Amino acid sequence: MLLIKCPFCGPRPELEFSYGGQAHIARPKDPASLDDESWAEYLYIRSNPKGLHAERWRHIHGCARFFNVQRNTASDAIVATYKIGEEPPKPVDPGLEEWSSRSGAAL
Amino acid sequence: MVEATIVRVNSLAAVSRDSASSPQVSLAVLPDAAKLVFRGRPSSIGAAGEAFGVELPQTANRFREAAGRKAYWLGPDEWLLEAIGVDSSELFSTMSEKLASHSCSLVDVSHRSDSMAIRGPMSEYVLNHGCPLDLSERAFPVGMCTRTILGKSPIVLSRTEQEVFHLDVWRSFSPYVWSFLDEARQEFLHDQSARSPT
Ligand SMILES: [Zn+2]
């Protein structure tokens, strides 16, 4: 079983966590000004990298808090975990950065 | 007019009847308690501790006890407050009066769960049949508490003594959790001379 380091509780078994999708996707400040394509992109389009991926996890059967994880999607290795609102400890994958700036999301 | 009286029946009453005790590992039903969940910003934590009578622990996954009352850290802004033999509605109104000027939430969850204890040198071993946590004293010392999983059920697990754990389980899950642990400890009931499997 994978051990995931919750930023509040420390290393805990994978079973206690649930996945929360891609991280660092900011809601557009003025949704009304977006055209349909940009809005659909914000809602539905997610990156799907082979490699480093920033994602949200929730320690649902523990402290119940959401936090961020950087995980290698090819090896399933968790590179880093950090609290919501904190800066990612390492630069995220360039592909992800490029995608995020295209969709207007703040990293 | 019909007078209705509500009698609270412990959800473990039936399943715990005739539970065999074993020096290796035993199960016991814990007395009913008033249970409140407090959530609030840092500015209200001190006031909540004063109102309850036990300072709320700010260290992750620790509980603090005073005069039969316990405050369990469940999350960075969430505590379970437990008082045995106290009327929950009285405790609730006293506390909410004292916290009236703070932005926080206080919920009476006394009827949501029942509590049991598992004790004996084989407690860790039996709990680990369904709980994936490292329960060694190094990783899970006396005074630690946490929400976690046992089998298919969410529980709040705490270690009160070296060989004693308490489990707080939602009522609809509690007969399952009790039976799960009872089944896991069978090897110590039939052969009292069984050696520890370490
Ligand atoms: Zn946690």
Side-chain angles (χ1 to χ4, degrees):
Chain A
M1 195 179 296
L2 273 181
L3 285 178
I4 299 174
K5 192 181 162 215
C6 168
F8 300 99
C9 306
R12 301 284 289 245
E14 183 188 358
L15 217 72
E16 292 184 344
F17 296 85
S18 65
Y19 182 69
Q22 188 179 332
H24 305 303
I25 293 173
R27 185 182 164 85
K29 285 212 167 63
D30 182 15
S33 69
L34 261 60
D35 58 24
D36 288 352
E37 199 181 337
S38 319
W39 182 245
E41 187 160 344
Y42 158 69
L43 285 182
Y44 303 115
I45 309 301
R46 297 292 178 263
S47 69
N48 185 24
K50 181 181 180 184
L52 204 61
H53 189 222
E55 44 201 34
R56 300 196 312 158
W57 284 71
R58 187 179 181 199
H59 191 193
I60 180 140
H61 295 299
C63 63
R65 265 358 74 148
F66 276 96
F67 60 98
N68 292 325
V69 167
Q70 282 180 3
R71 186 175 63 94
N72 186 319
T73 58
S75 64
D76 208 21
I78 288 173
V79 179
T81 60
Y82 48 105
K83 290 177 186 171
I84 298 281
E86 284 178 359
E87 287 293 310
K90 281 173 144 194
V92 289
D93 186 74
L96 182 64
E97 226 158 17
E98 188 186 293
W99 179 87
S100 298
S101 53
R102 190 157 44 84
S103 66
L107 271 169
Chain B
M1 207 176 119
V2 180
E3 291 264 330
T5 315
I6 296 169
V7 179
R8 188 179 197 276
V9 177
N10 191 294
S11 60
L12 293 163
V15 77
S16 63
R17 207 171 289 141
D18 305 324
S19 176
S21 92
S22 151
Q24 301 274 45
V25 50
S26 282
L27 299 174
V29 181
L30 292 170
D32 291 348
K35 293 169 187 170
L36 308 182
V37 166
F38 168 80
R39 295 197 63 178
R41 297 191 188 281
S43 58
S44 62
I45 294 170
E50 258 170 50
F52 181 56
V54 182
E55 198 187 329
L56 307 191
Q58 304 238 29
T59 312
N61 295 312
R62 289 295 181 278
F63 66 86
R64 191 169 282 150
E65 187 172 12
R69 296 189 174 197
K70 277 185 190 163
Y72 300 83
W73 184 101
L74 291 184
D77 62 0
E78 183 178 4
W79 287 265
L80 174 66
L81 312 175
E82 187 188 80
I84 291 174
V86 170
D87 183 90
S88 71
S89 46
E90 273 174 35
L91 178 63
F92 180 82
S93 40
T94 320
M95 281 195 69
S96 38
E97 254 170 58
K98 288 180 179 167
L99 292 170
S101 62
H102 293 270
S103 1
C104 58
S105 107
L106 189 68
V107 182
D108 186 347
V109 295
S110 308
H111 295 267
R112 183 172 69 177
S113 61
D114 283 318
S115 303
M116 63 184 89
I118 180 166
R119 58 179 74 235
M122 285 297 110
S123 301
E124 285 176 27
Y125 171 77
V126 167
L127 282 167
N128 275 144
H129 280 65
C131 177
L133 288 179
D134 179 354
L135 296 177
S136 67
E137 271 198 281
R138 190 185 50 82
F140 205 105
V142 173
M144 181 161 173
C145 65
T146 184
R147 265 189 290 239
T148 181
I149 293 271
L150 189 119
K152 301 271 183 200
S153 171
I155 60 168
V156 176
L157 181 69
S158 55
R159 186 177 216 146
T160 57
E161 294 168 43
Q162 191 193 338
E163 292 180 355
V164 184
F165 292 86
H166 286 188
L167 287 82
D168 185 79
V169 191
W170 293 343
R171 283 174 62 86
S172 53
F173 287 98
S174 64
Y176 160 81
V177 167
W178 180 283
S179 312
F180 187 104
L181 294 172
D182 201 36
E183 199 174 318
R185 75 190 183 106
Q186 285 301 310
E187 60 181 299
F188 302 112
L189 296 185
H190 300 309
D191 181 8
Q192 295 286 350
S193 65
R195 297 180 54 135
S196 58
T198 41

